[in-house]
């Protein structure tokens, strides 16, 4: 795999690709019952999709506003969920790129933080991205989870939102073009 693009899902084909990744990861691999994998929140959520030459590689969604309130306790806190990366794309940075894209979408909506419910085996992944676990372990679809939260920094690089993989060009340190590499 040489590269991929992460984007906000736009249109029915992108949404179908998001749902196909979720079905493969959650329903097939993790045996989550299909009837609980898809919920009423999908219709109003912002969905993010990672796509490579091979097709869809990963997805995640952001709930915000009243839809997120019950999960987060605040209308200014988004809820990241349904993060899924295909087996072939794991370990390539796709998951981290999806999380950062969801955080960017949260910032654009004026949110101050992002909450998520992490499967306990993935706690280290989210901790490396700046999330902090809180509260007790709980089951979701029969899988142990922990709640996690990350406060969102606003504009840290020359007026651009925080991204862990910003590269300043040229390499002599002058603030020139800024590129984000996935």
């Amino acid at each position: 795999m040489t590269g991929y693009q992460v984007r906000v899902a736009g249109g029915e084909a992108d949404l179908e690709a998001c749902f196909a990744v979720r079905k493969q990861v959650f329903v097939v691999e993790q045996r989550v019952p299909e009837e609980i994998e898809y919920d009423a929140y999908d219709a109003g959520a912002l969905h993010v999709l990672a796509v490579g030459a091979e097709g869809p590689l990963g997805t995640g969604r952001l709930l915000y506003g009243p839809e997120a309130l019950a999960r987060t306790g605040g209308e200014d806190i988004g809820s990241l969920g349904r993060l899924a990366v295909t087996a072939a794309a794991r370990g390539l940075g796709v998951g981290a790129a999806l999380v950062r894209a969801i955080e960017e979408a949260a910032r654009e909506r004026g949110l101050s933080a992002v909450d998520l419910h992490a499967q306990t085996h993935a706690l280290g992944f989210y901790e490396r991205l700046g999330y902090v676990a809180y509260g007790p372990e709980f089951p979701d679809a029969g899988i142990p989870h922990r709640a996690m939260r990350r406060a969102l920094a606003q504009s840290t690089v020359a007026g651009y939102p925080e991204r862990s993989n910003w590269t300043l060009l040229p390499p002599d340190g002058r603030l020139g073009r800024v590129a984000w590499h996935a």
Side-chain angles (χ1 to χ4, degrees):
M1 181 175 317
T2 57
Y4 56 88
Q5 174 192 36
V6 173
R7 64 178 184 251
V8 172
E12 199 59 38
D14 277 358
L15 284 177
E16 288 176 15
C18 292
F19 295 149
V21 170
R22 284 171 48 184
K23 182 173 185 173
Q24 178 59 39
V25 173
F26 296 125
V27 176
V28 175
E29 292 178 26
Q30 297 184 355
R31 294 186 169 91
V32 171
E34 193 164 3
E35 59 272 12
I36 65 171
E37 171 51 32
Y38 308 102
D39 59 26
Y41 294 115
D42 280 328
L46 178 135
H47 297 268
V48 176
L49 178 66
V51 180
E54 305 80 8
L57 304 175
T59 188
R61 75 178 185 188
L62 174 68
L63 304 179
Y64 56 95
E67 289 79 17
L69 184 59
R71 295 179 68 91
T72 66
E75 286 195 25
D76 67 330
I77 302 170
S79 178
L80 185 160
R82 302 304 202 264
L83 187 74
V85 176
T86 62
R90 291 180 196 144
L92 302 175
V94 173
L98 287 163
V99 170
R100 295 304 188 217
I102 289 168
E103 291 172 348
E104 176 68 16
R107 270 188 210 91
E108 290 171 358
R109 284 153 183 78
L111 303 180
S112 65
V114 172
D115 262 22
L116 58 87
H117 293 167
Q119 294 181 8
T120 55
H121 73 84
L123 288 172
F125 166 77
Y126 289 111
E127 287 169 344
R128 287 187 296 278
L129 295 175
Y131 287 80
V132 177
Y134 66 92
E137 185 176 293
F138 60 92
D140 187 0
I143 300 168
H145 284 70
R146 290 278 312 274
M148 301 186 85
R149 178 172 290 176
R150 179 174 188 263
L152 297 176
Q154 302 294 326
S155 299
T156 59
V157 176
Y160 291 88
E162 172 195 349
R163 294 206 176 158
S164 63
N165 50 358
W166 280 109
T167 303
L168 297 178
L169 302 174
D172 64 5
R174 291 182 294 123
L175 184 59
R177 298 181 304 142
V178 178
W180 180 35
H181 302 282

